[in-house]
Amino acid sequence: NPITMPIGSTQQFTATAYDQFNSQISGVGFTWTSSIGAVDQTGLFTVGTSVVLGTVTATNGSASGFAIISVVAGAPHHLYVIPDPANVMVGGSRQFSAIAFDEFNNAISGALYTWTTDMGTVDSTGLFTAGFIAGTGTVTATCGSVSYSATVNVLAGALDHVIVLPGSVTLPVGGTQQFTATGYDVNNNIITGLS
């Protein structure tokens, strides 16, 4: 007393009775109650499914004593990464964050994450930096045995040059030819949606 317990765990509590002179009294029985979770009449306490602060109390007549219990989230069960999806310009950066939950959807404070990506780089804080190739990939956070991958769209940069195809053509009088134009950024990534 006090005690910190993860969700789903159990703890055997004991109580000792004393007289007004602080002398221990043996053979005293107690009624056990709890403001959170469940406790049987032997003092065996089982944590509930919520992260809370509460007490387990032993009572005999008008005398009682209690232990303070702080319930913390259980093991990681699932997690989320935000933003998802995220758009980042080539060479640009974006901060990602993750939050893990136990099986009862309680947020786990202080959880540690390992970050990985298949598009550019990401540091240990979740700061993603895009490379210079446009495309779609993922930024993944892992906590224990669970992970979550957010989609990241690396977008082409500003228009740098235009290529017209075919590059040259010979036409007879009155002939026709369809030309196409494609815009590229400085890293030769195609820019869509141009007119």
Side-chain angles (χ1 to χ4, degrees):
N1 181 15
I3 186 172
T4 298
M5 300 177 63
I7 284 174
S9 61
T10 60
Q11 174 66 48
Q12 180 67 57
F13 285 91
T14 60
T16 304
Y18 296 86
D19 65 16
Q20 61 182 326
F21 303 106
N22 216 32
S23 297
Q24 184 173 327
I25 305 171
S26 60
V28 175
F30 299 97
T31 299
W32 291 91
T33 57
S34 176
S35 64
I36 56 173
V39 62
D40 68 15
Q41 290 312 299
T42 70
L44 180 63
F45 173 75
T46 302
V47 176
T49 59
S50 299
V51 174
V52 291
L53 184 68
T55 58
V56 165
T57 302
T59 304
N60 180 284
S62 61
S64 65
F66 63 87
I68 297 172
I69 303 167
S70 177
V71 179
V72 296
H77 179 265
H78 58 280
L79 60 91
Y80 298 104
V81 173
I82 52 175
D84 180 26
N87 295 328
V88 184
M89 298 292 288
V90 288
S93 297
R94 186 72 182 268
Q95 182 67 54
F96 286 83
S97 60
I99 184 167
F101 299 86
D102 67 16
E103 64 178 311
F104 301 103
N105 224 32
N106 296 296
I108 302 173
S109 62
L112 300 177
Y113 304 96
T114 300
W115 293 91
T116 56
T117 184
D118 56 6
M119 290 288 291
T121 61
V122 63
D123 70 12
S124 60
T125 70
L127 179 63
F128 169 79
T129 302
F132 294 99
I133 299 176
T136 298
T138 58
V139 172
T140 302
T142 301
C143 181
S145 62
V146 296
S147 63
Y148 182 95
S149 296
T151 299
V152 58
N153 301 307
V154 177
L155 308 178
L159 180 63
D160 179 72
H161 58 280
V162 176
I163 295 178
V164 176
L165 294 175
S168 64
V169 65
T170 300
L171 292 173
V173 173
T176 61
Q177 173 67 48
Q178 179 66 55
F179 286 89
T180 60
T182 306
Y184 297 84
D185 67 10
V186 69
N187 298 297
N188 283 325
N189 294 299
I190 294 175
I191 303 173
T192 60
L194 296 177
S195 58

